[in-house]
Short mmCIF file of all heavy atoms in Angstrom, two decimals:
data_model
loop_
_atom_site.label_atom_id
_atom_site.label_comp_id
_atom_site.label_asym_id
_atom_site.label_seq_id
_atom_site.Cartn_x
_atom_site.Cartn_y
_atom_site.Cartn_z
N GLY M 445 0.78 -1.19 0.03
CA GLY M 445 0.00 0.00 -0.03
C GLY M 445 0.79 1.26 0.00
O GLY M 445 1.87 1.32 0.58
N GLY M 446 0.48 2.23 -0.84
CA GLY M 446 1.08 3.51 -0.80
C GLY M 446 1.14 4.23 0.50
O GLY M 446 0.15 4.26 1.20
N GLY M 447 2.30 4.73 0.79
CA GLY M 447 2.46 5.50 2.17
C GLY M 447 2.89 4.58 3.28
O GLY M 447 3.17 5.18 4.36
N VAL M 448 2.82 3.24 3.13
CA VAL M 448 3.11 2.48 4.30
C VAL M 448 4.68 2.49 4.52
O VAL M 448 5.47 2.41 3.51
CB VAL M 448 2.67 0.95 3.97
CG1 VAL M 448 3.27 0.07 4.98
CG2 VAL M 448 1.10 0.89 3.96
N VAL M 449 5.14 2.57 5.70
CA VAL M 449 6.52 2.68 6.10
C VAL M 449 6.86 1.53 6.96
O VAL M 449 6.15 1.32 8.04
CB VAL M 449 6.86 3.98 6.70
CG1 VAL M 449 8.38 4.02 7.13
CG2 VAL M 449 6.57 5.16 5.75
N LEU M 450 7.91 0.77 6.62
CA LEU M 450 8.28 -0.34 7.57
C LEU M 450 9.71 0.08 8.09
O LEU M 450 10.58 0.41 7.41
CB LEU M 450 8.50 -1.72 6.79
CG LEU M 450 7.25 -2.12 5.99
CD1 LEU M 450 7.49 -3.52 5.29
CD2 LEU M 450 6.00 -2.21 6.84
N THR M 451 9.79 0.01 9.43
CA THR M 451 10.97 0.34 10.19
C THR M 451 11.38 -0.70 11.14
O THR M 451 10.57 -1.15 11.99
CB THR M 451 10.77 1.66 10.88
OG1 THR M 451 10.24 2.64 10.03
CG2 THR M 451 12.06 2.10 11.50
N ASN M 452 12.63 -1.17 11.12
CA ASN M 452 13.17 -2.03 12.05
C ASN M 452 13.44 -1.18 13.35
O ASN M 452 14.02 -0.19 13.27
CB ASN M 452 14.44 -2.70 11.66
CG ASN M 452 14.98 -3.75 12.61
OD1 ASN M 452 15.29 -3.47 13.83
ND2 ASN M 452 15.04 -5.00 12.17
N THR M 453 12.86 -1.56 14.50
CA THR M 453 12.89 -0.75 15.63
C THR M 453 13.27 -1.51 16.95
O THR M 453 13.06 -2.74 17.03
CB THR M 453 11.55 0.04 15.87
OG1 THR M 453 11.65 0.81 16.97
CG2 THR M 453 10.47 -1.00 16.00
N THR M 454 13.71 -0.75 17.87
CA THR M 454 13.89 -1.39 19.32
C THR M 454 12.88 -0.81 20.30
O THR M 454 13.07 -0.95 21.47
CB THR M 454 15.39 -1.13 19.72
OG1 THR M 454 15.55 0.36 19.73
CG2 THR M 454 16.37 -1.78 18.88
N GLU M 455 11.87 -0.15 19.75
CA GLU M 455 10.81 0.41 20.65
C GLU M 455 10.09 -0.72 21.47
O GLU M 455 9.71 -0.53 22.59
CB GLU M 455 9.80 1.15 19.84
CG GLU M 455 10.26 2.37 19.22
CD GLU M 455 9.28 3.09 18.30
OE1 GLU M 455 8.24 2.45 18.11
OE2 GLU M 455 9.49 4.18 17.97
N ALA M 456 9.93 -1.91 20.82
CA ALA M 456 9.20 -2.99 21.45
C ALA M 456 9.63 -4.27 20.72
O ALA M 456 10.01 -4.33 19.55
CB ALA M 456 7.67 -2.83 21.45
N ALA M 457 9.55 -5.38 21.48
CA ALA M 457 9.94 -6.64 20.97
C ALA M 457 9.27 -7.72 21.72
O ALA M 457 9.05 -7.69 22.89
CB ALA M 457 11.47 -6.80 20.95
N ALA M 458 8.85 -8.82 21.05
CA ALA M 458 8.28 -9.97 21.66
C ALA M 458 9.36 -10.78 22.33
O ALA M 458 9.18 -11.26 23.48
CB ALA M 458 7.43 -10.86 20.70
N THR M 459 10.49 -10.90 21.67
CA THR M 459 11.62 -11.54 22.21
C THR M 459 12.86 -10.77 21.69
O THR M 459 12.73 -10.06 20.63
CB THR M 459 11.80 -12.96 21.87
OG1 THR M 459 11.86 -13.13 20.39
CG2 THR M 459 10.71 -13.82 22.34
N GLY M 460 13.97 -10.86 22.24
CA GLY M 460 15.12 -10.10 21.84
C GLY M 460 14.91 -8.67 22.07
O GLY M 460 14.16 -8.16 22.97
N THR M 461 15.41 -7.75 21.11
CA THR M 461 15.34 -6.31 21.22
C THR M 461 14.73 -5.63 20.10
O THR M 461 14.51 -4.46 20.10
CB THR M 461 16.71 -5.63 21.44
OG1 THR M 461 17.55 -6.10 20.39
CG2 THR M 461 17.32 -6.27 22.84
N HIS M 462 14.44 -6.35 18.92
CA HIS M 462 14.07 -5.76 17.72
C HIS M 462 12.66 -6.25 17.29
O HIS M 462 12.31 -7.34 17.52
CB HIS M 462 15.04 -5.92 16.56
CG HIS M 462 16.34 -5.20 16.74
ND1 HIS M 462 16.70 -4.12 16.06
CD2 HIS M 462 17.34 -5.46 17.57
CE1 HIS M 462 17.89 -3.68 16.35
NE2 HIS M 462 18.33 -4.52 17.33
N SER M 463 11.98 -5.49 16.52
CA SER M 463 10.75 -5.84 15.77
C SER M 463 10.60 -5.05 14.56
O SER M 463 11.43 -4.14 14.35
CB SER M 463 9.49 -5.69 16.81
OG SER M 463 9.32 -4.32 16.98
N LEU M 464 9.53 -5.32 13.79
CA LEU M 464 9.26 -4.51 12.53
C LEU M 464 8.02 -3.69 12.76
O LEU M 464 6.96 -4.21 13.12
CB LEU M 464 8.94 -5.46 11.41
CG LEU M 464 8.87 -4.68 10.01
CD1 LEU M 464 10.22 -4.13 9.57
CD2 LEU M 464 8.51 -5.75 8.91
N ARG M 465 8.18 -2.34 12.67
CA ARG M 465 7.05 -1.39 12.91
C ARG M 465 6.46 -1.02 11.61
O ARG M 465 7.10 -0.71 10.64
CB ARG M 465 7.54 -0.16 13.69
CG ARG M 465 6.47 0.88 14.08
CD ARG M 465 7.03 2.02 14.75
NE ARG M 465 7.89 2.82 13.77
CZ ARG M 465 8.93 3.59 14.16
NH1 ARG M 465 9.17 3.77 15.43
NH2 ARG M 465 9.68 4.26 13.26
N THR M 466 5.14 -0.99 11.60
CA THR M 466 4.37 -0.55 10.37
C THR M 466 3.62 0.65 10.64
O THR M 466 2.79 0.78 11.62
CB THR M 466 3.39 -1.66 9.92
OG1 THR M 466 4.12 -2.82 9.57
CG2 THR M 466 2.60 -1.16 8.70
N THR M 467 3.86 1.79 9.95
CA THR M 467 3.12 3.05 10.04
C THR M 467 2.66 3.52 8.66
O THR M 467 3.03 2.99 7.69
CB THR M 467 4.05 4.07 10.68
OG1 THR M 467 5.24 4.21 9.96
CG2 THR M 467 4.43 3.71 12.16
N GLY M 468 1.88 4.58 8.62
CA GLY M 468 1.50 5.21 7.36
C GLY M 468 0.41 4.50 6.64
O GLY M 468 0.12 4.73 5.44
N ARG M 469 -0.38 3.59 7.42
CA ARG M 469 -1.48 2.88 6.77
C ARG M 469 -2.67 3.81 6.60
O ARG M 469 -3.01 4.63 7.47
CB ARG M 469 -1.80 1.66 7.58
CG ARG M 469 -0.77 0.64 7.71
CD ARG M 469 -1.15 -0.55 8.68
NE ARG M 469 -2.26 -1.19 8.16
CZ ARG M 469 -3.51 -1.13 8.72
NH1 ARG M 469 -3.78 -0.41 9.71
NH2 ARG M 469 -4.53 -1.89 8.18
N THR M 470 -3.33 3.60 5.45
CA THR M 470 -4.62 4.44 5.24
C THR M 470 -5.75 3.41 4.76
O THR M 470 -6.92 3.92 4.57
CB THR M 470 -4.41 5.49 4.17
OG1 THR M 470 -3.94 4.86 2.95
CG2 THR M 470 -3.44 6.50 4.62
N GLN M 471 -5.51 2.20 4.68
CA GLN M 471 -6.46 1.14 4.23
C GLN M 471 -6.33 -0.11 5.10
O GLN M 471 -5.21 -0.41 5.55
CB GLN M 471 -6.35 0.77 2.73
CG GLN M 471 -6.66 1.92 1.83
CD GLN M 471 -8.09 2.38 1.64
OE1 GLN M 471 -8.94 1.58 2.06
NE2 GLN M 471 -8.27 3.56 1.15
N GLY M 472 -7.44 -0.79 5.31
CA GLY M 472 -7.39 -1.96 6.05
C GLY M 472 -6.38 -3.01 5.51
O GLY M 472 -5.69 -3.73 6.37
N PHE M 473 -6.24 -3.08 4.20
CA PHE M 473 -5.46 -4.11 3.59
C PHE M 473 -3.94 -3.66 3.49
O PHE M 473 -3.11 -4.43 2.98
CB PHE M 473 -5.93 -4.51 2.27
CG PHE M 473 -6.14 -3.40 1.27
CD1 PHE M 473 -5.03 -2.92 0.57
CD2 PHE M 473 -7.42 -2.80 1.15
CE1 PHE M 473 -5.24 -1.86 -0.27
CE2 PHE M 473 -7.58 -1.75 0.20
CZ PHE M 473 -6.43 -1.22 -0.53
N HIS M 474 -3.65 -2.49 3.97
CA HIS M 474 -2.20 -2.02 3.92
C HIS M 474 -1.48 -2.75 5.07
O HIS M 474 -2.04 -3.03 6.23
CB HIS M 474 -2.19 -0.54 4.22
CG HIS M 474 -2.60 0.22 2.98
ND1 HIS M 474 -2.67 1.61 2.93
CD2 HIS M 474 -2.92 -0.14 1.72
CE1 HIS M 474 -3.00 2.02 1.74
NE2 HIS M 474 -3.23 0.99 1.04
N GLY M 475 -0.16 -2.92 4.96
CA GLY M 475 0.61 -3.50 5.97
C GLY M 475 1.88 -4.04 5.48
O GLY M 475 2.29 -3.92 4.31
N PRO M 476 2.62 -4.77 6.38
CA PRO M 476 3.91 -5.35 5.97
C PRO M 476 3.51 -6.67 5.10
O PRO M 476 2.55 -7.41 5.46
CB PRO M 476 4.59 -5.74 7.21
CG PRO M 476 3.45 -5.88 8.21
CD PRO M 476 2.37 -4.92 7.81
N SER M 477 4.35 -7.00 4.10
CA SER M 477 4.05 -8.10 3.26
C SER M 477 5.28 -8.87 2.97
O SER M 477 6.36 -8.35 2.94
CB SER M 477 3.35 -7.68 1.98
OG SER M 477 4.12 -6.89 1.14
N LEU M 478 5.15 -10.13 2.68
CA LEU M 478 6.26 -10.98 2.35
C LEU M 478 5.98 -11.91 1.17
O LEU M 478 4.99 -12.59 1.15
CB LEU M 478 6.65 -11.85 3.58
CG LEU M 478 7.85 -12.72 3.46
CD1 LEU M 478 9.15 -11.82 3.43
CD2 LEU M 478 7.89 -13.78 4.62
N ASN M 479 6.85 -11.92 0.03
CA ASN M 479 6.59 -12.71 -0.96
C ASN M 479 7.05 -14.14 -0.74
O ASN M 479 8.18 -14.42 -0.41
CB ASN M 479 7.46 -12.16 -2.21
CG ASN M 479 7.22 -12.96 -3.52
OD1 ASN M 479 6.46 -13.88 -3.56
ND2 ASN M 479 7.91 -12.46 -4.54
N ILE M 480 6.13 -15.06 -0.73
CA ILE M 480 6.33 -16.48 -0.39
C ILE M 480 6.18 -17.40 -1.54
O ILE M 480 6.18 -18.56 -1.45
CB ILE M 480 5.50 -16.95 0.80
CG1 ILE M 480 3.98 -16.71 0.50
CG2 ILE M 480 5.83 -16.21 2.09
CD1 ILE M 480 2.97 -17.24 1.61
N LEU M 481 6.12 -16.79 -2.80
CA LEU M 481 6.04 -17.64 -3.96
C LEU M 481 7.38 -18.30 -4.09
O LEU M 481 8.46 -17.67 -4.08
CB LEU M 481 5.74 -16.74 -5.22
CG LEU M 481 5.70 -17.48 -6.54
CD1 LEU M 481 4.53 -18.39 -6.49
CD2 LEU M 481 5.62 -16.45 -7.70
N GLY M 482 7.40 -19.57 -4.29
CA GLY M 482 8.58 -20.34 -4.37
C GLY M 482 9.16 -20.83 -3.00
O GLY M 482 10.06 -21.70 -2.95
#
């Protein structure tokens, strides 16, 4: 989605010290995505 920003951050983490933060969403289907073809 246009405007979506992904940032590796240390603001919060489930384990360890890092996580991936998603901001800039304007639609429900916006978010982080991963190509799993193959």
Side-chain angles (χ1 to χ4, degrees):
V448 172
V449 177
L450 305 183
T451 308
N452 188 299
T453 181
T454 57
E455 293 175 352
T459 60
T461 57
H462 292 255
S463 65
L464 186 67
R465 184 183 64 204
T466 299
T467 56
R469 299 175 62 253
T470 57
Q471 297 287 341
F473 55 82
H474 287 176
S477 65
L478 185 68
N479 185 358
I480 54 174
L481 181 66

